[in-house]
Amino acid sequence: METDKATETSWTDALADFLAGQSGVEAIRLNAGDRRVEVATLGPVDLEALKTQLDEVLRSLDERLLASAPLGHAEGLQMTRQEGALLLQKPTCPTAPRFWKWRDFEWPEPEEMERQSDEEWRALAMQAVICGVALVAGWVTERFFQAPIWAAHGFFGIALVSGGWDAAKDAWENLRERRLDVHFLMLAVAAGAVAIGAWEEGALLLFLFSTSGALEHYVLHRTHREISALTKAAPKRARVVLPDGSVEDRAVVHLKIGDVIQVRPAELFPVDGTVISGESAADESTLTGEAVPVDKGKGAQVFSGTLNLWGLVQARVDKLATQSALARIILMIQTAQQMRAPSQRFTDRFGTTYTLITLGLVLVMFLIWWLALGIMPFASTEGTKSAFYRAMTLLVVMSPCALVLSIPSAILAAIAWGARRGILFRGGAAIEKLAEVDTVAMDKTGTLTEGNLRVALVESFPPGRETEVLRLAVTLDAHSNHPIARAITQHAKGQGIEPGELSEYQSIPGQGVRGRTVNGVTYVGRRELMDQGDFARWLAEVPDAPLGFSEVWVLNAGTMGRVLLKDEIRRGSRAVLKALAADHVRTVMLTGDRRAAASQVAQELGVTDVRAGLHPEDKVAAIQELTQQGHKVAMIGDGVNDAPSLAVAYVSMAMGARGSDAALEQADVVLMQDKIEKLLSARLISSRARAIIRQNLAISLGSVMVMAVAALFGIVPLTLGVLTHEGSTVVVCLNSLRLLFVKEPETTEL
């Protein structure tokens, strides 16, 4: 019963947090049976952002739990049931609901999305095939058999219906909303072609249009498949070890932070956690793309969706299912699909306004050809096509189908390519901008170096209290996720030293932490944090840490000392920096470490611009300075102290799923494998995508402009207009699909 109550609280709290964080959202209505989600809004609301956050919450909820949820209140929410639906709403006056605007949302199901997208593109492809077969049959019947004209027209009619079926549905939905788009234009042209007896040209137009539509949906399907593959990696149930030692089977969405789970060999870790007993190795390829097993012993972190290879382990739950590394990846990919690239906003203009302008121009030209130039309105002669025929040709070549698809098809293909290789782009803007970068600023620890620091020496002043120094350090650092803090915590556990009691805790960004232990106020952090008062004069006489070592100072009223740590240069850093230099990209190291340690790493790697001893605000100033000099700067980091500088960079990049939440939230690009070499892969696909986009725009704009001018002078037949226009659409889609087959660059460690 206690477990059920805690479970109920966990999901109602998730909904309460969602509603509390949305200023324009007043209520949410969930119907698990009908898979319906409705949200009541008041005033202007960013619907794309709302849907993204709502999907993250709903994905973690158990439909059975919603269907039988008891009524009451949850964190200030009023809960009621209306016709089988669960309604949660903020406290409000009785008249307020009259002004709410209810909006429908789809229940997020990545696997269902993959199935639907697969069915959609296959159905469109089948329609295109039927259209093509009927078109060929009509053409053969008309050319080679002495069949009645109605027989050929019958085949062409089948082609017109099958090729225009999907376009007709979309056009009807848009017309109901008083919008016009390219589907309407295509149907208008096809109808016009039939009206002047050009059945073959109308069928050809819709065949090519339906083929390009199938290709577009195939690109979308490939992206949905990547998301679904990640979602399938997350198990739905877990074994929870109860305090009495018994094991209980429980849904993953019901797990709470602090629960202990048991994971057997060949099973997937259900959530992110920390191993507390047992030893094994994990295959993290589903998360990072790296197939090399990662050893997992006591104190090691494990991640949702990764495979436990051989040992029986118990792990403490550190994050809820909705907050796991895998959930963050899925959310990032879904968000990226909704975020548009700068150049894509250019093509967004080709909607209702462009359609109306095109229809207006076609009408004007029809009147000019008819009334001003004396061309027959509907009847074509042997040497001159009718004004209506010319108008239909102009309408075909001016339809912006290829232009509308030229950018999103390339962006989606690039996102899918990156997702398969552990590179997550948060939208098209990141893909386009990364290729423009001419300066790369990098943090040292965790980016250029492994970030897996190990404690080399613990010193106390005066000697003899080293154990107490380490105990104070781990007491404060046990609450931090910084690589240095993790190294100290792991070393202390190896020495059998457990964290002490801590009554206060405060993070001092860029310098360290402050806390109140049983020994009084204690500071743990950089030398500069201790550099005050009488202690500063004494500290000046203490030599710096040896070259290549980092130091963490510990100070309270009765104890002072330091912990010396050693880091290793990340494998692949040299090759990446050499490749960037060959590409004329400037590299800058921005680090909070001492200059001596930073200079040694920079010298080994060949970094000429080193800026050491920086606080978070100093890193921000450095990037702003580079930006003011005209550079387009990409910043790569992984820690909380890197988040401000990531926010001001032209392109922000975070290292891996193990990076801090703050860094991941600010990042435009996430390198999931914790491998710096992925920077080169990301730049490669960015460069290729930009090239493909330029090619697509040249193809689409060029064909529209050239054929429009030719159509104005009446020198292009309708058949050629159809082939050129729809042919360019097919070429654009196929050209974008080439991105899926780009090979990753190979780097050789020097």
Side-chain angles (χ1 to χ4, degrees):
M1 190 63 99
E2 298 255 352
T3 302
D4 293 340
K5 187 174 181 180
T7 299
E8 173 197 333
T9 303
S10 66
W11 72 260
T12 53
D13 283 349
L15 287 173
D17 290 342
F18 168 75
L19 285 178
Q22 305 292 329
S23 59
V25 177
E26 300 299 317
I28 179 171
R29 184 186 292 137
L30 307 170
N31 192 320
D34 295 340
R35 313 290 303 163
R36 289 178 57 214
V37 184
E38 298 174 277
V39 173
T41 61
L42 187 63
V45 175
D46 185 343
L47 292 181
E48 288 192 358
L50 174 62
K51 185 181 187 308
T52 298
Q53 296 179 49
L54 181 62
D55 284 355
E56 181 183 8
V57 175
L58 295 181
R59 197 180 298 110
S60 67
L61 300 184
D62 191 313
E63 295 90 340
R64 293 170 300 170
L65 194 65
L66 292 175
S68 60
L71 304 182
H73 290 76
E75 297 294 328
L77 294 182
Q78 181 180 350
M79 300 171 56
T80 56
R81 194 174 297 281
Q82 299 178 347
E83 300 178 357
L86 185 65
L87 174 68
L88 298 95
Q89 66 183 64
K90 297 177 181 176
T92 186
C93 64
T95 59
R98 299 179 185 175
F99 303 98
W100 291 351
K101 182 175 181 180
W102 285 94
R103 304 177 187 272
D104 290 330
F105 291 89
E106 293 182 359
W107 197 293
E109 284 187 295
E111 293 183 22
E112 183 68 14
M113 286 171 58
E114 182 200 6
R115 185 188 63 79
Q116 290 180 354
S117 66
D118 182 60
E119 291 177 355
E120 285 176 1
W121 87 262
R122 290 182 185 278
L124 290 173
M126 181 57 65
Q127 291 173 18
V129 169
I130 294 173
C131 180
V133 171
L135 173 62
V136 172
W139 182 80
V140 170
T141 301
E142 189 178 52
R143 293 290 192 280
F144 301 103
F145 295 96
Q146 300 299 323
I149 190 64
W150 59 261
H153 285 179
F155 284 119
F156 290 141
I158 295 173
L160 288 166
V161 171
S162 58
W165 185 260
D166 188 70
K169 291 193 298 181
D170 290 338
W172 174 246
E173 291 297 326
N174 287 326
L175 284 173
R176 292 174 61 184
E177 299 177 8
R178 298 181 180 180
R179 290 190 290 112
L180 299 176
D181 62 357
V182 293
H183 299 91
F184 179 84
L185 290 181
M186 292 300 99
L187 294 173
V189 174
V194 172
I196 61 175
W199 289 70
E200 183 180 337
E201 286 84 349
L204 176 62
L205 170 68
L206 292 184
F207 165 67
L208 293 172
F209 187 70
S210 59
T211 301
S212 64
L215 286 172
E216 178 190 4
H217 279 76
Y218 176 70
V219 174
L220 289 171
H221 165 66
R222 290 294 297 263
T223 305
H224 289 155
R225 191 170 68 181
E226 299 300 333
I227 299 174
S228 181
L230 291 172
T231 305
K232 291 175 183 175
K236 301 298 185 291
R237 305 196 67 80
R239 282 188 302 280
V240 180
V241 181
L242 302 178
D244 62 2
S246 61
V247 177
E248 175 187 85
D249 185 72
R250 188 182 301 174
V252 171
V253 294
H254 299 169
L255 294 177
K256 305 185 300 298
I257 294 176
D259 282 345
V260 177
I261 57 175
Q262 182 189 83
V263 185
R264 297 171 180 170
E267 289 184 343
L268 299 173
F269 289 101
V271 290
D272 292 3
T274 302
V275 176
I276 59 175
S277 69
E279 291 186 355
S280 184
D283 179 356
E284 299 183 348
S285 58
T286 55
L287 185 66
T288 67
E290 180 60 57
V292 178
V294 180
D295 291 335
K296 301 294 178 181
K298 186 177 180 181
Q301 288 183 299
V302 293
F303 302 97
S304 172
T306 60
L307 179 65
N308 179 28
L309 292 176
W310 52 266
L312 177 67
V313 298
Q314 292 186 358
R316 181 185 66 248
V317 176
D318 292 340
K319 293 182 179 179
L320 300 176
T322 56
Q323 301 170 341
S324 69
L326 187 62
R328 288 204 306 264
I329 294 172
I330 295 170
L331 180 61
M332 286 177 186
I333 297 175
Q334 290 177 325
T335 304
Q337 294 179 66
Q338 300 171 7
M339 296 175 66
R340 300 182 176 184
S343 58
Q344 188 175 345
R345 300 189 188 105
F346 167 72
T347 62
D348 290 342
R349 301 171 190 168
F350 296 90
T352 300
T353 302
Y354 180 84
T355 301
L356 291 174
I357 292 174
T358 301
L359 291 174
L361 177 61
V362 168
L363 177 60
V364 169
M365 289 306 302
F366 170 74
L367 295 175
I368 290 175
W369 281 317
W370 174 24
L371 301 176
L373 300 179
I375 299 174
M376 295 293 290
F378 300 104
S380 298
T381 64
E382 186 174 344
T384 305
K385 296 297 184 182
S386 69
F388 190 76
Y389 182 97
R390 294 176 181 226
M392 289 300 97
T393 303
L394 179 61
L395 187 58
V396 168
V397 299
M398 288 195 65
S399 298
C401 302
L403 189 59
V404 170
L405 293 175
S406 59
I407 297 172
S409 59
I411 293 298
L412 287 173
I415 289 174
W417 185 93
R420 291 207 310 269
R421 293 162 178 80
I423 304 168
L424 302 183
F425 292 98
R426 299 187 101 176
I431 293 173
E432 287 201 72
K433 290 161 64 177
L434 184 57
E436 301 173 3
V437 166
D438 59 11
T439 302
V440 177
M442 304 178 180
D443 180 42
K444 181 178 76 70
T445 304
T447 301
L448 290 173
T449 62
E450 291 288 350
N452 296 325
L453 296 164
R454 57 180 179 81
V455 175
L457 181 65
V458 179
E459 297 179 328
S460 70
F461 305 98
R465 305 204 63 185
E466 289 79 7
T467 300
E468 185 63 22
V469 168
L470 186 57
R471 179 177 288 107
L472 290 172
V474 74
T475 298
L476 271 69
D477 280 342
H479 298 268
S480 173
N481 196 40
H482 191 279
I484 290 178
R486 292 199 299 266
I488 292 175
T489 302
Q490 185 174 358
H491 179 75
K493 287 183 177 180
Q495 299 293 318
I497 299 175
E498 296 294 329
E501 295 183 5
L502 187 65
S503 57
E504 294 180 13
Y505 181 80
Q506 177 187 1
S507 176
I508 306 174
Q511 297 193 54
V513 294
R514 173 191 179 277
R516 183 178 293 277
T517 66
V518 293
N519 303 92
V521 175
T522 302
Y523 291 88
V524 174
R526 298 170 53 173
R527 177 181 287 248
E528 290 77 6
L529 181 63
M530 317 299 169
D531 197 2
Q532 50 188 322
D534 294 337
F535 187 70
R537 291 192 293 271
W538 177 86
L539 187 64
E541 300 178 2
V542 178
D544 289 339
L547 199 62
F549 287 80
S550 298
E551 61 178 357
V552 175
W553 280 89
V554 179
L555 173 66
N556 70 10
T559 305
M560 64 183 68
R562 66 179 178 181
V563 180
L564 298 178
L565 304 99
K566 177 74 172 177
D567 194 5
E568 300 295 332
I569 291 177
R570 185 180 292 276
R571 186 171 179 265
S573 293
R574 294 182 183 88
V576 170
L577 291 173
K578 183 176 181 180
L580 290 174
D583 200 23
H584 306 290
V585 176
R586 176 184 180 184
T587 53
V588 182
M589 181 192 293
L590 304 179
T591 178
D593 285 0
R594 295 178 300 110
R595 173 159 291 279
S599 296
Q600 184 193 32
V601 173
Q603 185 176 3
E604 289 187 45
L605 294 177
V607 181
T608 56
D609 191 347
V610 180
R611 308 187 186 192
L614 302 182
H615 296 153
E617 60 271 22
D618 299 325
K619 292 185 178 182
V620 171
I623 290 180
Q624 289 175 334
E625 175 191 338
L626 292 167
T627 302
Q628 290 169 1
Q629 294 172 1
H631 296 289
K632 293 183 176 179
V633 184
M635 172 67 189
I636 309 178
D638 70 332
V640 175
N641 62 330
D642 296 321
S645 51
L646 289 172
V648 300
Y650 185 66
V651 177
S652 53
M653 307 180 73
M655 291 294 291
R658 300 174 180 85
S660 70
D661 289 341
L664 292 176
E665 284 298 319
Q666 292 294 342
D668 299 318
V669 185
V670 180
L671 309 181
M672 293 307 303
Q673 292 187 12
D674 269 338
K675 294 174 67 176
I676 192 66
E677 298 96 316
K678 290 297 177 180
L679 169 59
L680 301 181
S681 300
R683 277 181 55 82
L684 173 65
I685 197 62
S686 172
S687 177
R688 294 290 179 86
R690 279 173 58 85
I692 292 291
I693 288 172
R694 287 195 296 268
Q695 293 166 13
N696 287 350
L697 289 175
I699 293 169
S700 55
L701 281 173
S703 63
V704 168
M705 293 172 64
V706 171
M707 297 304 291
V709 172
L712 286 174
F713 288 97
I715 59 176
V716 56
L718 180 58
T719 304
L720 180 58
V722 169
L723 287 172
T724 303
H725 173 264
E726 291 303 325
S728 66
T729 305
V730 174
V731 169
V732 159
C733 288
L734 292 175
N735 195 39
S736 295
L737 286 174
R738 290 198 301 125
L739 288 171
L740 296 174
F741 306 101
V742 172
K743 292 184 178 180
E744 275 195 280
E746 296 183 1
T747 57
T748 304
E749 184 61 32
L750 303 177

